[in-house]
Amino acid sequence: MEKVQGEMEIERWERSEELSDAERKVIQETWSRVYTNCEDVGVSILIRFFVKFPSAKQYFSQFKHMEDPLEMERTPQLRKHARRVMGAVNTVVENINDSEKVSSVLALVGKAHALKHKVEPVYFKFFTGVMLEVIAEEYANDFTPEVQRAWTKMKSLIYTHVTAAYKESMSSLLTAVVKLCSCVGVRAGVAMVNTGDVRRRLDAQTRECEKKLRPAL
């Protein structure tokens, strides 16, 4: 059952702490074991994600009407997306010591989901939480408190970078629209909106979406 989160919990999710060298090493070591079984783990993560947050299926035309997790699990599209997701995470982990590379990879993910797929940014928060939950269960022997802390930071890093790129993309898009409207003589309310307004609105929409979805994370 999905539960309402408080404002402090939301803020806790949105903070991204710096990873230490030791934590980066721990993440790479544990991920190397996870990635040897990347497709099956990725499928498990997606299935749980869709079960806990069924509204996320709206972005996947191939199985958005499926209710049975086993039916979803058998679809080639889901397995393909699982490989894609795990591949993206793997690229981040492999380059975890290169902050610019990590930012670049996650920026591409954020922009694609903002402009092409039109995914609400809050779903990245939910997804990274489910990802950590599944990995911690399936690799329980590897997930000491130290490992758990490192991956919690990693989860926040992914969410923070992706949503920052998402907001930047939407702000740039709206700025372009405003300029276009100005060029063709449109002076309605849209021409008065600035990028600061967009960021505030996106933040408000994210929080409102969280309340409506009542996440169990």
Side-chain angles (χ1 to χ4, degrees):
M1 191 76 179
E2 298 179 358
K3 299 180 289 186
V4 176
Q5 293 279 342
E7 293 295 312
M8 289 182 65
E9 180 68 10
I10 294 171
E11 291 175 2
R12 182 183 68 80
W13 268 95
E14 293 178 345
R15 287 196 295 267
S16 177
E17 297 181 58
E18 185 72 21
L19 288 164
S20 68
D21 291 341
E23 288 169 332
R24 292 190 186 99
K25 183 178 179 181
V26 162
I27 287 170
Q28 288 184 324
E29 288 175 349
T30 53
W31 180 254
S32 66
R33 290 188 281 277
V34 173
Y35 199 63
T36 57
N37 194 28
C38 67
E39 184 173 321
D40 288 339
V41 176
V43 168
S44 296
I45 292 169
L46 287 177
I47 292 296
R48 186 173 302 189
F49 176 56
F50 291 135
V51 168
K52 295 185 76 169
F53 305 102
S55 58
K57 289 188 294 182
Q58 66 183 292
Y59 302 107
F60 298 87
S61 59
Q62 303 94 335
F63 44 84
K64 66 180 180 181
H65 300 301
M66 294 182 184
E67 299 295 335
D68 184 1
L70 292 178
E71 184 182 6
M72 281 192 290
E73 187 174 347
R74 289 192 292 267
T75 61
Q77 294 87 353
L78 187 135
R79 301 195 76 84
K80 180 180 178 181
H81 192 64
R83 291 193 298 271
R84 186 181 299 122
V85 169
M86 295 295 279
V89 176
N90 185 60
T91 301
V92 172
V93 174
E94 283 185 337
N95 294 280
I96 200 168
N97 293 307
D98 184 343
S99 59
E100 289 187 6
K101 178 68 173 180
V102 169
S103 295
S104 176
V105 170
L106 294 178
L108 289 174
V109 172
K111 290 175 181 177
H113 285 76
L115 302 177
K116 182 179 179 181
H117 306 301
K118 307 296 191 297
V119 177
E120 290 283 351
V122 70
Y123 285 104
F124 286 104
K125 178 181 296 187
F126 300 156
F127 178 81
T128 52
V130 171
M131 179 183 73
L132 181 55
E133 181 180 291
V134 170
I135 293 174
E137 288 178 9
E138 297 198 8
Y139 296 85
N141 292 336
D142 295 321
F143 260 68
T144 63
E146 176 190 15
V147 174
Q148 181 76 33
R149 284 192 296 272
W151 273 98
T152 297
K153 287 186 180 182
M154 182 67 171
K155 174 185 68 177
S156 298
L157 180 148
I158 292 173
Y159 172 68
T160 300
H161 278 70
V162 168
T163 52
Y166 187 104
K167 293 175 183 180
E168 181 182 352
S169 298
M170 297 306 292
S171 295
S172 298
L173 178 62
L174 186 58
T175 298
V177 170
V178 169
K179 288 180 179 178
L180 178 62
C181 289
S182 298
C183 288
V184 298
V186 177
R187 294 292 185 271
V190 65
M192 300 175 65
V193 180
N194 59 37
T195 56
D197 294 327
V198 176
R199 288 192 173 89
R200 285 190 291 274
R201 290 179 187 181
L202 282 170
D203 288 339
Q205 289 172 1
T206 297
R207 295 180 187 280
E208 184 62 27
C209 187
E210 286 175 333
K211 292 176 182 178
K212 289 179 180 178
L213 290 171
R214 300 184 175 199
L217 297 178

